[in-house]
Amino acid sequence: MLKKSLLLLLCLLGAACQKAGEPAPVTLADDASTGPTTKVVSQPLPEMAPRDYLKTTYWPNAELDAGEAYISCDFDYVQYGDGERLESLSFFAVVDALTPCQPKGVVRLRYEGKINAGFAALVQRVAAIADRLEIPVRILDIESSGGHVEEAIRAGDSMAESRWAIWVREGSYCHSSCVLILAGGDTRSIAGDVGIHRLFRDQSKATSRAELSAELRDVSGQVRDYLMRNGADVRIADLMMTVANRRLRLLSTAELKEFGLSGSNAVQDDLDRIRLTRRCGEDFARRRDAWLRAFENECLEPGKAFEVLDQCGRSLEPRFGFPDAKCPSDNPTADRRGLPTGTAAKALLMPPLKLDAGTKSAEVVKK
């Protein structure tokens, strides 16, 4: 009797009413502004921590079942295109795709499709092989109308630990749960559209506003926690609960900056400076900050070749007391490929585009 009463209580709390073997409900933030959304396919994947991908060649089966991925070793997509299509997420397929990028130290992952478990596995596996091959620069060049919120959070947290730059290039878009991916990047360079709207549960059983709100309460809290730890404004979570799903609120250039979704990630910048100060001292960190500001003002221009940037950066070093024998590996141009490290290196990841400084309508309805 006691056992039955306990089970009934748990069911009333929503913790034990799910049928055995029934998949957990997923939360969607998928662009429905152009019509009904298509079901986002996402087969459950065995749990594997990102660091575990570095320890073994045996990876659980995973598929890109809601999008397509391409691997390029070049920044210039106008001249060189998007690279070779990645046909498989197996260990050896990813190794083969990234090996040509090892000499340049740059991999650009172009992804077009939905955010789901396959996408999360994609960014984790590309980062793992980039680590093994010592490819320091990783760029996610994305176009997505959204997908699963939980998988966007999983992918974004993974990217935050593996130092990605994210592009939404001119003509591309990042809508709905894709916006959460932006929060995970070290740098975010945006020339396309970024838009958000309300979350909803796949196969929701809600019959009232109260029930629908209860379904989304937990995931809304997860979104807020995720945004906070990645340096983005929690107001985004509020907007994702208020803008109707059939509408799309496009974020202006100013809003993207204000919400912490474009440019350098403030949390990562602070973390980098804390680590540098710990290793090399406050004076070293202060001088390096001054060098970075001079580099961005005097050297950094979109489309400049690496060798030109490197030469300009090196010419600035004596002005700020570099190279400094105290921390030779942390001197501004100490990167093994002769490129500035830290914030300056991240600034180099901006695509060769002239960003549109104009603002967009705060709310649009897709025709």
Side-chain angles (χ1 to χ4, degrees), residues 166-180:
I166 302 176
W167 293 358
V168 182
R169 68 197 197 195
E170 196 169 47
S172 289
Y173 50 84
C174 180
H175 294 166
S176 307
S177 62
C178 177
V179 174
L180 301 178

Side-chain angles (χ1 to χ4, degrees), residues 18 78 82 90 93 181 211 216 220 233 238 284-285 352:
Q18 193 169 298
V78 175
D82 292 329
S90 68
I181 299 299
E211 290 176 353
L216 296 177
S220 179
D233 199 316
D238 297 332
F284 187 100

Side-chain angles (χ1 to χ4, degrees), residues 13 41 48 74 96 110 150 157 225 246 252 266 296-297:
L13 294 175
V41 179
M48 188 171 184
D74 294 283
D96 289 344
R110 171 66 174 176
E150 291 89 343
D157 277 335
D225 290 344
R246 292 190 302 275
S252 69
E296 291 171 358
N297 291 332

Side-chain angles (χ1 to χ4, degrees), residues 125-191:
R125 295 176 183 208
V126 169
I129 296 303
D131 283 344
R132 291 194 183 201
L133 296 177
E134 297 185 340
I135 300 173
V137 179
R138 302 97 187 260
I139 304 164
L140 173 64
D141 179 0
I142 192 168
E143 177 172 282
S144 176
S145 61
H148 294 171
V149 172
E150 291 89 343
E151 295 299 344
I153 291 175
R154 180 170 162 238
D157 277 335
S158 173
M159 295 176 71
E161 296 299 320
S162 49
R163 311 303 297 265
W164 285 81
I166 302 176
W167 293 358
V168 182
R169 68 197 197 195
E170 196 169 47
S172 289
Y173 50 84
C174 180
H175 294 166
S176 307
S177 62
C178 177
V179 174
L180 301 178
I181 299 299
L182 298 178
D186 275 19
T187 45
R188 291 68 53 93
S189 184
I190 300 169

Side-chain angles (χ1 to χ4, degrees), residues 177-246:
S177 62
C178 177
V179 174
L180 301 178
I181 299 299
L182 298 178
D186 275 19
T187 45
R188 291 68 53 93
S189 184
I190 300 169
D193 287 340
V194 175
I196 53 180
H197 59 64
R198 185 174 168 81
L199 311 180
F200 65 95
R201 278 287 198 188
D202 187 26
Q203 299 178 347
S204 171
K205 296 178 174 61
T207 59
S208 68
R209 292 183 185 181
E211 290 176 353
L212 186 60
S213 178
E215 282 186 351
L216 296 177
R217 188 176 297 121
D218 177 63
V219 75
S220 179
Q222 292 179 49
V223 170
R224 295 176 72 88
D225 290 344
Y226 167 79
L227 293 169
M228 287 182 65
R229 65 177 172 266
N230 285 292
D233 199 316
V234 296
R235 285 179 292 171
I236 300 164
D238 297 332
L239 291 173
M240 294 180 82
M241 294 299 293
T242 56
V243 179
N245 183 259
R246 292 190 302 275

